[in-house]
Amino acid sequence: MDRRCVYYKLPLLESGTLGTKGNVQIVLPHITESYSSSQDPPEKTIPMCTLKNFPNAIEHTIQWARDQFEGLFTKTAENCHKFITEPKFLEKQKSGGALIAILEGLRKDLGTDKPDDFTDCIRWARMLFEENFHNTIAQLLYNFPPDQKTSSGAPFWSGPKRCPAAINFDANNSEHLDFVVAAANLRAYNYSIPTNRSRDFIKGHVTNITVPPFKPRSGVKIAVTEAEAENMNNDEESDSDKAKSILGELNAKMDQLRSLNIQVADFEKDDDTNFHMDFITACSNARASSYRIAAANKHKTKLIAGKIIPAIATTTAVVAGLVSIEMYKMIQGLKDVEKYKNAFLNLALPFYAFSEPILAPKNKYYDVEWTLWDRYDIQGDITLQELLDIFENEHKLEISMLSQGVCMLYAFFMPADKRKERCGMKLSALVELVTKKKLPAHKRALVLEICCNDSEGEDVDTPYINYSLP
């Protein structure tokens, strides 16, 4: 929308609400900056070490559960599907530890952990519960016992660090069974295995699963700070021999794998039948139970996981009134930027602030000033050479590079014979040649980006070219 307004030189009244917060921004052609000229500050993120090992609020466990869903049922399934269907999938991945992690995931999900029927999915879900809520917690407490002291002698488990407790699975606990039901059905969906919503059926099978005992290991590193978490991610080992070995195992059974129909579970919070929110709610609450954090029901979990902030009628009314006032000014044809006001408000404080719209930044080459609203309008069915001559004669600029979208039409470093051939071509024909696509009949103009040098050979910033097709 913003780009279209700039291109067609139209005003824009931008407004929005976020709970008790609201804003109004005025965009005036040739006067103010555009909407995209400024960006909101990045959202605050939860430190990785807090999510992985030291949650202390339900928001932390919900985000962790959301990440689990993404890793288990979206990203992993996507990797499996692309590995089977795209021959060059692994070539596109970064080498090193990240590639090893992908290959190990493929070996598990297409080999040792590949389910053949729904009972295999139940077993996988039961093992996942054990890993997430018993084994991982037991390892954490082995590294940092409840009576652990810091180097200064203070208790390690204090302040925001809550000492967790490993959970023993109980099929009669509805929350534990909720997790297995949701995880098993999502796993079945990934592998196109018929799902089963019968809690009695799943409960009957899960009680007969033998889970191997867990013994904590020494030497396991657990990040305590965000810096340690980042260093551990950066220190992933790279082993080319290991990668070749895993790839050989997978390629050996590729004919068998091609028969698999892998489906990716893209998160959808508003479908109550797809088990997405059931999994995230059960997963979050099980972790919250381990860390003695108050659980959240499915509705609250959906609001937090979907980052839903309820709309407030009062905020909407205030913003609608403020933006309407600015609209009347535009209708009157006011050009003085001081007459307009951007608005920022938060009714919860309460806080109201008004400011003049920011003027469009000015750029300059020679004595010519221009802003983001300016462009070179070129009409007529001209050749590339004629375009180069127009800029050299009328603007005293030498075009060193010319592009349309992602396609390079002309560059000073091209071979001489190629430059000569293209210079004699009509611009419309040149675009069709390079893009290998015929220009659609409804196309009225092309946006051409240019790099230019001034008379002294220095690079200068210039507007783009709007080339009207004949």
Side-chain angles (χ1 to χ4, degrees), residues 289-300:
S289 172
S290 179
Y291 282 86
R292 294 173 290 109
I293 298 170
N297 59 29
K298 189 175 177 180
H299 177 69
K300 182 177 179 181

Side-chain angles (χ1 to χ4, degrees), residues 246-283:
I246 298 173
L247 189 57
E249 292 177 30
L250 292 168
N251 287 333
K253 49 187 177 183
M254 181 56 77
D255 290 339
Q256 178 186 350
L257 295 177
R258 286 197 180 97
S259 64
L260 288 176
N261 179 25
I262 303 294
Q263 300 183 103
V264 179
D266 292 316
F267 178 61
E268 173 50 64
K269 67 183 185 303
D270 295 321
D271 183 351
D272 291 332
T273 66
N274 61 14
F275 290 102
H276 294 191
M277 283 310 307
D278 299 275
F279 174 82
I280 291 174
T281 302
C283 188

Side-chain angles (χ1 to χ4, degrees), residues 223-470:
V224 177
T225 65
E226 184 71 358
E228 289 180 7
E230 289 183 6
N231 289 336
M232 287 177 67
N233 286 337
N234 293 333
D235 291 343
E236 291 178 321
E237 293 184 3
S238 172
D239 188 335
S240 59
D241 292 335
K242 185 177 182 180
K244 290 178 182 177
S245 173
I246 298 173
L247 189 57
E249 292 177 30
L250 292 168
N251 287 333
K253 49 187 177 183
M254 181 56 77
D255 290 339
Q256 178 186 350
L257 295 177
R258 286 197 180 97
S259 64
L260 288 176
N261 179 25
I262 303 294
Q263 300 183 103
V264 179
D266 292 316
F267 178 61
E268 173 50 64
K269 67 183 185 303
D270 295 321
D271 183 351
D272 291 332
T273 66
N274 61 14
F275 290 102
H276 294 191
M277 283 310 307
D278 299 275
F279 174 82
I280 291 174
T281 302
C283 188
S284 169
N285 286 340
R287 188 164 175 82
S289 172
S290 179
Y291 282 86
R292 294 173 290 109
I293 298 170
N297 59 29
K298 189 175 177 180
H299 177 69
K300 182 177 179 181
T301 302
K302 180 189 287 190
L303 292 179
I304 296 173
K307 298 182 178 179
I308 300 170
I309 298 177
I312 297 175
T314 316
T315 314
T316 304
V318 172
V319 169
L322 291 172
V323 78
S324 295
I325 293 172
E326 302 306 311
M327 181 180 67
Y328 288 134
K329 297 176 185 176
M330 283 188 177
I331 293 172
Q332 291 176 339
L334 301 180
K335 299 296 183 185
D336 185 357
V337 73
E338 295 182 0
K339 302 292 185 182
Y340 293 90
K341 290 291 181 284
N342 288 346
F344 310 90
L345 58 99
N346 188 339
L347 300 183
L349 298 178
F351 170 79
Y352 293 83
F354 299 92
S355 66
E356 292 178 9
I358 300 174
L359 297 176
K362 291 183 178 181
N363 301 288
K364 189 175 182 178
Y365 67 90
Y366 298 135
D367 294 327
V368 179
E369 289 188 340
W370 62 276
T371 69
L372 62 94
W373 297 97
D374 295 307
R375 66 192 185 197
Y376 300 109
D377 285 305
I378 305 291
Q379 296 181 347
D381 194 15
I382 62 174
T383 64
L384 173 58
Q385 185 59 57
E386 288 174 321
L387 178 69
L388 300 178
D389 292 342
I390 288 172
F391 270 79
E392 188 167 346
N393 297 330
E394 296 183 13
H395 304 289
K396 302 293 187 268
L397 294 173
E398 177 192 2
I399 295 179
S400 56
M401 284 188 284
L402 175 71
S403 61
Q404 196 268 324
V406 296
C407 297
M408 182 71 71
L409 305 180
Y410 169 83
F412 69 93
F413 50 78
M414 284 180 173
D417 55 342
K418 193 173 186 179
R419 288 204 312 271
K420 183 178 180 180
E421 177 191 359
R422 293 192 175 187
C423 283
M425 296 180 67
K426 300 289 187 182
L427 284 174
S428 54
L430 177 57
V431 170
E432 290 181 337
L433 171 71
V434 178
T435 61
K436 298 178 181 178
K437 292 180 183 177
K438 193 141 184 83
L439 291 173
H442 66 269
K443 198 79 171 174
R444 293 289 177 264
L446 296 174
V447 173
L448 306 177
E449 301 288 345
I450 55 175
C451 293
C452 293
N453 297 330
D454 61 15
S455 57
E456 296 179 357
E458 297 292 330
D459 291 340
V460 292
D461 291 328
T462 61
Y464 66 91
I465 296 173
N466 183 57
Y467 174 61
S468 298
L469 295 169

